[in-house]
Amino acid sequence: MSSTAAPAAEVELTIGGMTCASCAARVEKKLNRMDGVTATVNYATERARVSYEDGIRVADLIATVEKTGYTAEEPAPPEQEPSPEAPREDPELASLRERLTVSAVLALPVVLLAMVPSLQFDNWQWLSLTFAAPVVVWGGLPFHRATFTNARHGTATMDTLISVGTLAAFGWSVWALFWGHAGMPGMRHGFDLTVSRGEASSTIYLEVAAGVVTFILLGRYLEARAKRRSGAALRALMELGARDVSVLRDGREVRVPVADLKVGDRFVVRPGEKVATDGTVVEGASAVDASMLTGESVPVDVTVGDAVTGATVNAGGRLVVEASRVGADTQLARMAKLVEDAQNGKAEAQRLADRISAVFVPAVLLIAVATFGVWLGMTDELTAAFTAAVAVLIIACPCALGLATPTALMVGTGRGAQLGILIKGPEVLESTRRVDTVVLDKTGTVTTGRMTLQEVYAAAGADEKQVLRLAGALEHASEHPIARAVATGAEERVGVPLPSVDGFENLAGLGVRGTVDGHEVLVGRARLLDEAGVALPDELVALRTRAEAEGRTAVAVAWDGVARGVVTVADAVKETSAEAVRELRALGLTPVLLTGDNRTVAESVARRVGIDDEFVFAEVLPQDKVEVIKRLQAEGRTVAMVGDGVNDAAALAVADLGLAMGTGTDAAIEAGDLTLVRGDLRVAADAIRLSRRTLATIKGNLVWAFGYNVAALPLAAAGLLNPMIAGAAMAFSSLFVVTNSLRLRAFR
């Protein structure tokens, strides 16, 4: 991963009037011809992401798009967008549905009359003309309008193929009816799945013109609906947040829009309400349901001092939260931005498809002309030559090429967001396919990142509960992480309030001493007891030695001049880490443990989660983590790195694939390619599986789209496809690609 200098400015434009991948390619090409401009245009999202240098105005970018024959505007700011409660009818969908409905009603009798000779009464052809004309002229108007606009700019798109093909079929039919023999009463017309062969002046193609327009409209309508469904996860994510909030002002609750919240404001969250923005609990205790953000189904307990995330739901008691992030800085807003950026990007395979689409349409026009000429020269049958040429025009539309990547990306990244997996861009998908080694940072990734009480051992004649009660009371007065672990563990296990301490004394590097319930208590290293003239019995020495060999820290406890017990603390391994390592192995990855801890601790953790000792890198300084990644890469490995801390950021950036735990620091999240919103290592395996599945879907779509065109063009040119069947097949091709992408919504 390499970093590049940021552009002077970046803007996202909504592009209107695009009907196919060729349109997107044209707009992108025109924008990129401007000096100092780099643009990516996505047909599926109808967005252009444009980076531009100083001296260029957004108005100049919009003007360039408009000169190309399309519309462009900056998206409305969030506060101007309608609320989710407001009815939102998509104008494009409504227009397409209207045209499709009218065209289908009118085209059906035209197709039936042409295909079933027994239905053909005297002068049936004139009724067909009456019904077909509105379908071709009004139903196909979007195609004709786009073709005219493109022609003015000297270019051609998929619409050109549809418009030229249907107008040619309709024009031929009108000529045959008015100036040929097709308009005579009693004329009968057969239907063939291949090219028509017959007297040119008595052959009509009204069913082809009306049927193709209707099939293409059906394909466009279903495609538009599917595109909206594929982007539904992102829209749902952006609408998760609360709309208003009860802010504490001068001791009173005031209901204000969330947009008015400022950092430092304190607000109330009642049971069942959404947390308005990211913040810290300053009053109350509750359980928070974060399933809509992280995919984690179990509510998380929070109390004073705990962080909460905007859009999560308060499932228990009343909370007062102090806002720490608002607006675009919140986790929800950043998640939405990451997902949107990923959906607007392009995989390398799609860039190839775009380049092919840009030259495909002119090539097809030439093939259609050549088909007409060859058929006419070889058979001297004008009707057959015309039918084959029209079939070539109609079946060749490579709409599916333009949809292959964007739809799969939209669905895959959207589904990932629902599961707490944020994919930064399409190029990340290629990395997940190649990765064969995954480096796991120990602290905070494999382990919880905080010391917790493990075991309590009592010497002969002592009581474990008493050992823990006195040790916990004394350690409660200390701020040391080990002391906090002992105190917290004691509070949880003893079950009664810990006694108070008199004469507390902190002995740096050794431990603590004080008086608890009239007993002179010592808690700390064995050396502390030695200096006080207290000997550890052999049984406690053996327990301490075993604990330290297993990577735990042993703390000796004595009172009234006698050693009474040993308690051990350690950075606890997360319950799910061992299962996560098994899942990563099942994906063909070699897990590696990386830590700054000593080798004894590292190997103990590695054994508990199932990582081989040879793949444990211990006592690694933060600045040396990058060197470990580079060393593995030098061995020919493609390396993924999972981390959560500031000291992991550089390693995440150097790795071929960086997976940042969303529970970690902003620096780590910024450096990663994939962000795992939940602090569960199993999500890393899910993220790689989802990325690989999305990439496989993209490749499957592209294989279908390329294969369809490669196979269909020769069939059409050979006269083996009726133009109407070609139109239906072309519409099905686009629909297949979108539907195939939508299967990613079922990813678990």
Side-chain angles (χ1 to χ4, degrees):
M1 293 168 52
S2 60
S3 60
T4 55
E10 188 171 272
V11 68
E12 192 174 81
L13 301 176
T14 300
I15 309 296
M18 293 195 301
T19 55
C20 62
S22 293
C23 300
R26 277 189 56 217
V27 175
E28 186 173 301
K29 188 175 180 182
K30 289 285 186 183
L31 285 170
N32 283 321
R33 280 182 177 171
M34 297 175 68
D35 290 335
V37 171
T38 305
T40 301
V41 180
N42 190 312
Y43 168 50
T45 59
E46 297 174 343
R47 297 283 178 96
R49 168 121 332 143
V50 189
S51 304
Y52 57 96
E53 295 176 358
D54 290 333
I56 298 173
R57 299 173 305 150
V58 174
D60 299 331
L61 303 173
I62 292 174
T64 298
V65 175
E66 289 175 344
K67 284 177 189 172
T68 314
Y70 304 90
T71 63
E73 59 183 13
E74 293 187 72
E79 60 267 19
Q80 294 180 14
E81 292 178 357
S83 69
E85 291 80 15
R88 296 186 302 171
E89 174 69 288
D90 187 324
E92 180 198 4
L93 266 180
S95 173
L96 272 172
R97 185 169 57 242
E98 182 183 11
R99 287 184 194 276
L100 171 61
T101 303
V102 173
S103 297
V105 169
L106 293 176
L108 183 61
V110 176
V111 173
L112 286 174
L113 284 170
M115 294 181 70
V116 185
S118 60
L119 297 178
Q120 295 170 1
F121 53 88
D122 286 349
N123 295 313
W124 66 274
Q125 65 271 43
W126 295 102
L127 179 65
S128 290
L129 177 65
T130 305
F131 284 168
V135 177
V136 175
V137 177
W138 177 77
L141 185 61
F143 314 132
H144 309 321
R145 188 188 293 132
T147 299
F148 177 71
T149 302
N150 292 327
R152 279 173 45 212
H153 292 89
T155 58
T157 66
M158 283 71 150
D159 290 308
T160 307
L161 303 181
I162 298 165
S163 181
V164 170
T166 54
L167 286 178
F170 184 72
W172 177 293
S173 304
V174 170
W175 170 79
L177 285 168
F178 284 95
W179 291 281
H181 304 299
M184 296 179 65
M187 190 275 278
R188 296 293 181 265
H189 198 302
F191 181 82
D192 196 340
L193 291 176
T194 58
V195 298
S196 300
R197 297 170 184 268
E199 170 58 41
S201 63
S202 60
T203 304
I204 58 175
Y205 293 96
L206 293 172
E207 80 283 0
V208 169
V212 166
V213 167
T214 304
F215 278 130
I216 304 302
L217 284 173
L218 174 63
R220 289 274 169 94
Y221 174 69
L222 294 174
E223 176 189 309
R225 275 188 58 191
K227 276 162 61 178
R228 282 190 61 77
R229 285 171 63 200
S230 65
L234 176 59
R235 285 193 300 277
L237 186 65
M238 297 176 83
E239 291 168 358
L240 275 178
R243 297 283 155 183
D244 49 29
V245 58
S246 293
V247 181
L248 292 174
R249 299 265 165 87
D250 300 323
R252 294 186 304 110
E253 290 185 27
V254 182
R255 204 77 183 169
V256 301
V258 168
D260 293 346
L261 266 181
K262 296 179 179 60
V263 173
D265 280 349
R266 294 191 171 192
F267 58 91
V268 176
V269 189
R270 292 183 176 80
E273 288 186 338
K274 290 180 180 177
V275 178
T277 193
D278 298 357
T280 305
V281 177
V282 293
E283 185 182 316
S286 182
V288 172
D289 179 2
S291 57
M292 70 289 294
L293 280 184
T294 66
E296 180 65 74
S297 58
V298 180
V300 178
D301 291 329
V302 295
T303 186
V304 174
D306 289 337
V308 289
T309 305
T312 55
V313 178
N314 181 9
R318 178 181 183 271
L319 295 174
V320 177
V321 179
E322 183 174 302
S324 59
R325 284 175 172 167
V326 296
D329 291 333
T330 63
Q331 183 173 333
L332 177 65
R334 290 161 71 200
M335 282 176 67
K337 182 74 168 62
L338 281 171
V339 176
E340 193 169 15
D341 287 349
Q343 292 183 351
N344 280 327
K346 290 188 180 183
E348 193 55 42
Q350 182 62 31
R351 295 188 184 280
L352 173 63
D354 287 350
R355 288 195 293 271
I356 291 173
S357 294
V359 299
F360 193 80
V361 175
V364 169
L365 290 170
L366 290 174
I367 292 170
V369 171
T371 299
F372 181 82
V374 170
W375 269 87
L376 193 60
M378 291 178 64
T379 65
D380 204 27
E381 291 187 16
L382 186 61
T383 306
F386 178 79
T387 308
V390 170
V392 167
L393 286 173
I394 291 169
I395 201 158
C397 297
C399 295
L401 279 180
L403 293 167
T405 295
T407 51
L409 260 183
M410 289 173 75
V411 181
T413 53
R415 180 61 183 145
Q418 291 175 330
L419 298 173
I421 301 163
L422 305 182
I423 302 170
K424 277 196 176 176
E427 62 283 350
V428 172
L429 305 179
E430 288 285 351
S431 300
T432 62
R433 180 177 60 86
R434 296 192 304 268
V435 162
D436 53 32
T437 304
V438 57
V439 175
L440 308 174
D441 176 58
K442 180 184 78 71
T443 307
T445 302
V446 176
T447 64
T448 60
R450 61 182 184 276
M451 301 297 264
T452 55
L453 180 65
Q454 301 292 303
E455 295 93 1
V456 181
Y457 304 109
D463 176 57
E464 282 188 11
K465 200 166 188 178
Q466 180 74 342
V467 169
L468 196 53
R469 182 171 173 271
L470 295 181
L474 190 57
E475 295 281 43
H476 199 276
S478 173
E479 293 299 320
H480 192 282
I482 292 176
R484 301 308 304 159
V486 173
T488 303
E491 285 177 326
E492 292 172 354
R493 296 191 193 185
V494 171
V496 294
L498 298 176
S500 58
V501 179
D502 295 321
F504 174 81
E505 186 181 357
N506 186 11
L507 304 167
L510 293 175
V512 292
R513 74 168 71 202
T515 304
V516 183
D517 286 349
H519 300 289
E520 290 294 324
V521 183
L522 292 172
V523 180
R525 297 186 177 204
R527 187 176 145 203
L528 174 66
L529 274 64
D530 288 342
E531 291 184 1
V534 178
L536 266 182
D538 291 343
E539 58 176 314
L540 292 184
V541 170
L543 289 169
R544 186 195 67 187
T545 303
R546 191 184 76 192
E548 289 176 347
E550 292 173 356
R552 296 190 296 276
T553 300
V555 179
V557 182
W559 65 82
D560 298 336
V562 179
R564 311 282 184 169
V566 169
V567 296
T568 64
V569 297
D571 180 6
V573 174
K574 293 178 182 177
E575 292 179 3
T576 57
S577 291
E579 184 183 343
V581 169
R582 285 196 297 273
E583 291 182 8
L584 290 168
R585 284 189 185 278
L587 290 169
L589 305 177
T590 301
V592 173
L593 188 68
L594 183 63
T595 180
D597 268 349
N598 64 63
R599 177 155 289 276
T600 301
V601 172
E603 290 182 348
S604 171
V605 170
R607 281 193 295 274
R608 292 178 66 182
V609 298
I611 296 176
D612 300 334
D613 286 352
E614 64 179 300
F615 293 112
V616 174
F617 292 85
E619 300 173 26
V620 178
L621 297 175
Q623 60 268 30
D624 294 334
K625 289 186 177 182
V626 169
E627 293 307 315
V628 173
I629 302 293
K630 288 182 176 177
R631 194 188 319 165
L632 290 168
Q633 290 170 330
E635 293 173 4
R637 298 177 181 271
T638 303
V639 181
M641 164 80 183
V642 187
D644 73 331
V646 171
N647 58 10
D648 298 324
L652 287 168
V654 168
D656 299 285
L657 179 69
L659 294 92
M661 293 294 228
T663 50
T665 64
D666 290 350
I669 292 169
E670 195 64 35
D673 300 302
L674 285 158
T675 299
L676 315 176
V677 179
R678 238 171 29 218
D680 186 340
L681 189 56
R682 289 177 302 181
V683 184
D686 290 339
I688 291 173
R689 282 197 302 115
L690 174 61
S691 298
R692 287 180 175 179
R693 181 84 60 83
T694 304
L695 181 65
T697 302
I698 289 173
K699 293 194 169 181
N701 285 347
L702 287 170
V703 167
W704 166 264
F706 276 120
Y708 164 82
N709 284 119
V710 168
L713 265 176
L715 289 175
L720 299 176
L721 285 176
N722 180 286
M724 191 173 70
I725 304 300
M730 194 278 282
F732 169 76
S733 175
S734 295
L735 189 59
F736 172 85
V737 163
V738 177
T739 306
N740 188 45
S741 298
L742 287 171
R743 292 190 307 123
L744 286 167
R745 292 172 63 176
F747 178 85
R748 293 285 180 271

